[in-house]
Amino acid sequence: RDDVESRGLGDVYKRQVDEGLIFATDLGGNVYYYGKGREGLGLYIVGAGDGNFFDEATKFASTFEEFFIEGIGIDILKKYYRCPT
């Protein structure tokens, strides 16, 4: 199981994302959360090692519906995908 809690990182992220909900991580070291960021409320991606989630996060969609139904934000997430060569 590779999630925030199983890696013992829950407290670290909880302090960084005070007003949000972490809903995913990936094998590339990124954290995905729904909450507040520089661009208001929405879905954000941020590197797990970044010091300040609020300042470093990139918004990729405003709502889950925008992302999952309308496909908004996929182009932004493609920039974060690390394909092994």
Side-chain angles (χ1 to χ4, degrees), residues 33-45 53-63 66 72 76 80:
Y33 75 92
Y34 176 77
K36 290 184 179 179
R38 290 182 316 210
E39 297 180 50
L41 193 62
L43 280 72
Y44 287 85
I45 183 172
F53 277 25
F54 187 87
D55 289 332
E56 302 296 327
T58 300
K59 185 174 184 179
F60 61 93
S62 294
T63 65
E66 271 188 9
I72 294 173
I76 295 170
Y80 286 87

Side-chain angles (χ1 to χ4, degrees), residues 16-34:
Q16 293 292 328
V17 186
D18 290 333
E19 297 185 40
L21 171 67
I22 295 170
F23 64 90
T25 63
D26 61 27
L27 298 177
N30 295 311
V31 173
Y32 302 82
Y33 75 92
Y34 176 77

Side-chain angles (χ1 to χ4, degrees), residues 14-15 33-36 38 43 52 65 69 75 79:
K14 187 172 181 169
R15 283 192 303 271
Y33 75 92
Y34 176 77
K36 290 184 179 179
R38 290 182 316 210
L43 280 72
N52 185 327
E65 182 178 345
I69 304 300
D75 57 328
K79 296 175 187 174

